Amino acid sequence: MAKASLSTITGIYYRETLVLRKKLLRVVLAAAVPPFLYLMAFGFGVGNDTQVNGVDYLTFLLPGLLAMASMNQSYNIATEINISRFYLKIFEEFLLAPNQRWQIVAGEVMYGMTRGLIPVAIIALYALLCGVGLNFGPALWLVLPLHLMAFSLIGFIVALKMKNHRDQASMTAFVITPMMFLSGTFFPVEQMPWMIQGLAMASPLTYSAELLRSALLGQPLSQLSLLMMVVLNLILLGLALRTLNRLEP
């Protein structure tokens, strides 16, 4: 039984990674260009010679860019699932096959997490080129899976809830894009107006970006943020399974 379950998960994951391999160059460029532009505009423009929380702004910014870019890549499985559902009908085949629903969630989320690793490698290269020493030690690999899993699950849920591409684009515009700028990726949350701080506290990216920055800068991890991410992932996993179970093939 365990072997059959693993085979189903790896089959879904393998199919998605085969598709990714065919468009890998486009995905890498899409993951590399926005952080580069933000790095040039904020890191070497606005933030030149600026100190934030005891470190230079460039050192503060790079972990935020890593959090933002990896979030986008993991969440973007929503678009691919949407296409599979409405156009290619491949997702329907997953539903009709003798699979358990949790296996579909596992395969798709593993794929989303894999996509999310692409910007991590890119930001590591940017940090090296900028002469910024980031700590890619064990703490990062404790936090990073929680971050990637959370936004892969959000992308999965959104893909199943949305009825068309227009609805999904609206979700991205009104939820994901504000989250990118208001969650401490570019500026410390505590320096924002109190109303924005309240919105930031409702954003999962606020907690994962804080954890990723602490890990990459060799600082102690916030136990509260770590707990929040664990609880969030459990809630999202339950929502993903519930949403998929209600979906008719």
Side-chain angles (χ1 to χ4, degrees), residues 124-161:
L125 177 60
Y126 288 167
L128 181 64
L129 294 174
C130 294
V132 175
L134 297 180
N135 184 4
F136 287 84
L140 176 66
W141 302 105
L142 169 66
V143 172
L144 188 60
L146 293 173
H147 168 72
L148 298 178
M149 181 178 176
F151 289 102
S152 297
L153 283 167
I154 291 172
F156 184 86
I157 294 166
V158 167
L160 299 190
K161 288 286 189 181

Side-chain angles (χ1 to χ4, degrees), residues 29-40 65 68-69 119 122-123 126:
L29 289 175
V33 172
F36 177 79
L37 296 176
Y38 290 130
L39 186 61
M40 293 298 104
L65 292 179
M68 180 194 72
I122 292 169
I123 300 301
Y126 288 167

Side-chain angles (χ1 to χ4, degrees), residues 47 50-61 186-188 190-191 213 217:
T50 302
Q51 293 283 316
V52 178
N53 292 349
V55 297
D56 65 272
Y57 182 70
L58 188 59
T59 302
F60 176 87
L61 177 64
F186 295 100
F187 306 101
E190 57 270 20
Q191 293 183 9
R213 182 172 285 115
L217 300 184

Side-chain angles (χ1 to χ4, degrees), residues 177-198:
T177 301
M179 199 184 297
M180 289 166 47
F181 291 96
L182 304 180
S183 301
T185 50
F186 295 100
F187 306 101
V189 173
E190 57 270 20
Q191 293 183 9
M192 298 179 181
W194 65 268
M195 187 178 295
I196 302 299
Q197 290 187 39

Side-chain angles (χ1 to χ4, degrees), residues 156-157 160-161 233-245:
F156 184 86
I157 294 166
L160 299 190
K161 288 286 189 181
N233 272 289
L234 292 175
I235 292 172
L236 290 171
L237 183 58
L239 286 173
L241 288 169
R242 183 180 178 182
T243 304
L244 187 58
N245 284 331

Side-chain angles (χ1 to χ4, degrees), residues 107 221 248:
L221 300 179
E248 293 296 331

Side-chain angles (χ1 to χ4, degrees), residues 6-25:
L6 184 61
S7 177
T8 299
I9 295 168
T10 54
I12 294 171
Y13 176 76
Y14 181 66
R15 184 264 168 192
E16 300 292 9
T17 52
L18 279 181
V19 175
L20 175 63
R21 190 170 67 178
K22 293 179 180 179
K23 57 181 182 181
L24 185 59
L25 180 60

